[in-house]
């Protein structure tokens, strides 16, 4: 496991957007960021799930969160611009984005992959990240320093049979992180971009990908939070362009 002990108020006064914040790793990351002092903006497609996370954060007396219902499949440029305007009006700047939401798609061969589903997975897992970054970069430039964290996967580095659009989307995510981090280094050096490979983690997505596996043998989302905290906080200010393993 990546070892890092975050100071209690690591993310005090930080405003951090988490996509797919209603469930799995994104839910735990949002709650963890709030626990360490951040105001989290919870983005997801299921309002009920986001409200449950919001309520949990409120109950714990962490900084009040904000909810942004947005389905990343089908969201258009104007939705992202509206999101940027809302964040600008409410907070004035943005200190971090955790690109976490993803679709698994089908576990099948490329020969039989449904092209419509292929495009959907690419939209949710790749294109939405481009559009979010484009809409939010100006707001991140207004922060003292800002961190963009992508979520990759083992099959985003070594693809395997039957991982289809998902693996391709994660290779694309690695490329997006590499391109963005080198562009930021020369054009906006206060912003850094890196990626996290969570490793096998006990969530619905993992259970869908490996239905025969005993989930109790897997790391929990809480177990992998040290790297999520490290990359969002000031101790990683010099880290840019890296793809790191949470486990
Ligand atoms: P989950 O399926 O548990 O959670 C994914 C989240 O993304 C859910 O909140 C889901 O919303 C949201 N989401 C999916 N589609 C959309 C959409 N169209 N618009 C908005 N939100 C959407 O997955 P994990 O927590 O396991 O995965 C989190 C990240 O970690 C992903 O990027 C995944 O690829 C990566 N990862 C996970 C591993 C694991 O072992 N768990 C291993 C390697 C990488 P909803 O709840 O409404 O479905």
């Amino acid at each position: 496991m990546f070892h890092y002990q975050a100071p209690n108020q690591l993310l005090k006064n930080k405003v951090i957007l988490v996509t797919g914040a209603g469930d799995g790793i994104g839910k735990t990351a949002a709650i963890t960021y709030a626990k360490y002092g951040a105001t989290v903006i919870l983005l997801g497609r299921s309002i009920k799930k986001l409200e449950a996370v919001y309520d949990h954060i409120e109950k714990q007396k962490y900084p009040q969160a904000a909810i942004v219902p947005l389905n990343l499949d089908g969201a258009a440029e104007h939705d992202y611009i509206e999101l940027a305007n809302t964040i600008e009006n409410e907070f004035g700047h943005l200190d971090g984005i955790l690109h976490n939401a993803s679709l698994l798609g089908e576990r099948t061969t490329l020969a039989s992959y449904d092209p419509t589903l292929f495009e959907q997975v690419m939209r949710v897992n790749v294109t939405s990240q481009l559009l979010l970054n484009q809409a939010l970069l100006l707001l991140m430039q207004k922060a003292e320093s800002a961190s963009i964290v992508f979520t990759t996967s083992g099959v985003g580095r070594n693809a395997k049979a039957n991982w289809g659009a998902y693996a391709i989307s994660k290779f694309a995510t690695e490329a997006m992180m590499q391109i963005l981090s080198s562009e930021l280094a020369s054009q906006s050096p206060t912003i850094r971009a890196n990626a996290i490979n969570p490793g096998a983690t006990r969530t619905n997505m993992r259970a869908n990908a490996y239905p025969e596996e005993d989930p109790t043998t897997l790391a929990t989302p809480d177990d992998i939070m040290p790297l999520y905290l490290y990359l969002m906080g000031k101790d990683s200010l010099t880290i840019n362009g890296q793809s790191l393993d949470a486990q």
Side-chain angles (χ1 to χ4, degrees):
M1 207 61 70
F2 182 86
H3 184 74
Y4 173 65
Q5 182 61 56
N8 274 346
Q9 289 295 304
L10 177 74
L11 301 175
K12 191 170 180 225
N13 297 330
K14 300 283 182 197
V15 180
I16 297 171
L17 175 75
V18 178
T19 72
D23 214 334
I25 295 168
K27 171 182 177 174
T28 300
I31 292 169
T32 304
Y33 289 156
K35 180 178 175 188
Y36 282 83
T39 297
V40 284
I41 302 169
L42 311 167
L43 187 151
R45 63 179 170 182
S46 157
I47 298 181
K48 269 210 169 131
K49 287 185 182 181
L50 297 176
E51 281 174 349
V53 178
Y54 179 99
D55 290 346
H56 179 88
I57 287 171
E58 187 163 63
K59 236 186 185 163
Q60 298 296 319
K61 301 197 162 48
Y62 301 153
Q64 189 181 32
I67 291 182
V68 179
L70 190 68
N71 187 339
L72 296 171
D73 180 24
E77 220 172 320
H78 65 85
D79 294 310
Y80 294 97
I81 291 165
E82 205 173 293
L83 167 65
N85 289 338
T86 306
I87 296 175
E88 166 123 60
N89 292 339
E90 293 233 353
F91 307 109
H93 72 282
L94 184 65
D95 302 280
I97 304 176
L98 174 63
H99 290 291
N100 162 82
S102 274
L103 274 185
L104 179 62
E106 286 182 295
R107 298 290 320 282
T108 186
T109 61
L110 287 180
S112 59
Y113 211 95
D114 175 2
T116 306
L117 181 61
F118 185 93
E119 289 198 328
Q120 187 188 7
V121 171
M122 295 304 285
R123 261 197 314 278
V124 173
N125 297 11
V126 184
T127 314
S128 75
Q129 304 184 134
L130 174 78
L131 296 173
L132 264 180
N133 292 338
Q134 287 180 334
L136 299 176
L137 267 177
L138 267 178
L139 279 175
M140 302 192 89
Q141 282 165 346
K142 293 187 179 175
E144 201 179 308
S145 66
S147 176
I148 301 175
V149 179
F150 292 91
T151 309
T152 182
S153 162
V155 293
R157 297 170 182 164
N158 292 300
K160 291 188 278 193
N162 300 320
W163 279 91
Y166 179 82
I168 293 170
S169 77
K170 294 299 184 182
F171 265 78
T173 295
E174 292 263 0
M176 194 182 293
M177 181 279 288
Q178 290 178 11
I179 295 166
L180 182 62
S181 60
S182 59
E183 291 170 355
L184 291 170
S186 58
Q187 287 156 30
S188 294
T190 54
I191 311 176
R192 61 201 189 278
N194 296 283
I196 294 177
N197 170 20
T201 308
R202 201 185 305 173
T203 66
N204 291 337
M205 184 189 285
R206 178 76 192 183
N208 288 333
Y210 294 92
E212 275 100 55
E213 188 175 66
D214 173 4
T216 63
T217 62
L218 301 175
T220 65
D222 274 313
D223 293 335
I224 62 171
M225 284 302 117
L227 182 57
Y228 284 77
L229 284 165
Y230 174 71
L231 282 182
M232 251 339 145
K234 61 176 171 27
D235 293 318
S236 63
L237 279 180
T238 59
I239 308 295
N240 187 36
Q242 305 226 3
S243 185
L244 301 172
D245 292 330
Q247 299 188 41

